[in-house]
Amino acid sequence: MPTHVVGVLLGHRQAVTTAQLLARLRRAGLARDQASRLGPLLGSRPIHLWSLTSAGRTFIATRDPALPPEDADQMQYGEPERWSDPARQRNVPLLVACYRLLAQVATGLDRPVQVSAWEHPWIRTIMPTERGRSRRARLPAAAVLHSRQTDDE
């Protein structure tokens, strides 16, 4: 995820706050960054893309409470047929464009939001129609956003 998108999703008002947080996570071995050039359509300057290390994913899994049963099936049309390996992402410019769109949507909402589900790419097979044909749908990404405000706000 690009640095500026991390800042938007965390609600940081200044980029330096996000940079300091990500640097601390990198020193702790929980996150890593990689400089990447996205090409002329998304910008010719290199950007830093951040991801969790295996230790970071383990830390999140132990600290983050499991989803309540009513939230377990958050994505439309159920779970994917198979999960893609994040380390084998080939289309980095498309992924960055999806993250930037997510940040733009989150910025445009009235309330602060939390990303509770993210999938790239979003691929589903829609059950057969009355003609007996199933359809395959593919989107670059999908996200489920929830309000971060408490019930009394």
Side-chain angles (χ1 to χ4, degrees), residues 17 37 48 71-72 79 91 98 133 150:
T17 307
R37 289 190 183 271
H48 284 271
D71 288 346
E79 295 293 317
N91 199 348
C98 291
R133 296 179 59 188
T150 60

Side-chain angles (χ1 to χ4, degrees), residues 80-147:
E81 295 171 8
R82 60 188 154 91
W83 292 99
S84 61
D85 181 9
R88 298 184 71 199
Q89 294 288 341
R90 292 190 182 117
N91 199 348
V92 174
L94 179 61
L95 178 62
V96 170
C98 291
Y99 279 133
R100 287 180 177 172
L101 177 60
L102 174 65
Q104 188 67 34
V105 168
T107 302
L109 296 175
D110 293 339
R111 302 177 181 178
V113 293
Q114 172 182 341
V115 178
S116 56
W118 169 263
E119 200 175 317
H120 167 79
W122 184 89
I123 303 171
R124 296 292 187 277
T125 301
I126 311 299
M127 289 302 125
T129 62
E130 57 275 354
R131 291 184 171 177
R133 296 179 59 188
S134 57
R135 303 282 182 191
R136 193 162 174 87
R138 180 182 173 101
L139 297 173
V144 176
L145 305 176
H146 286 183
S147 174

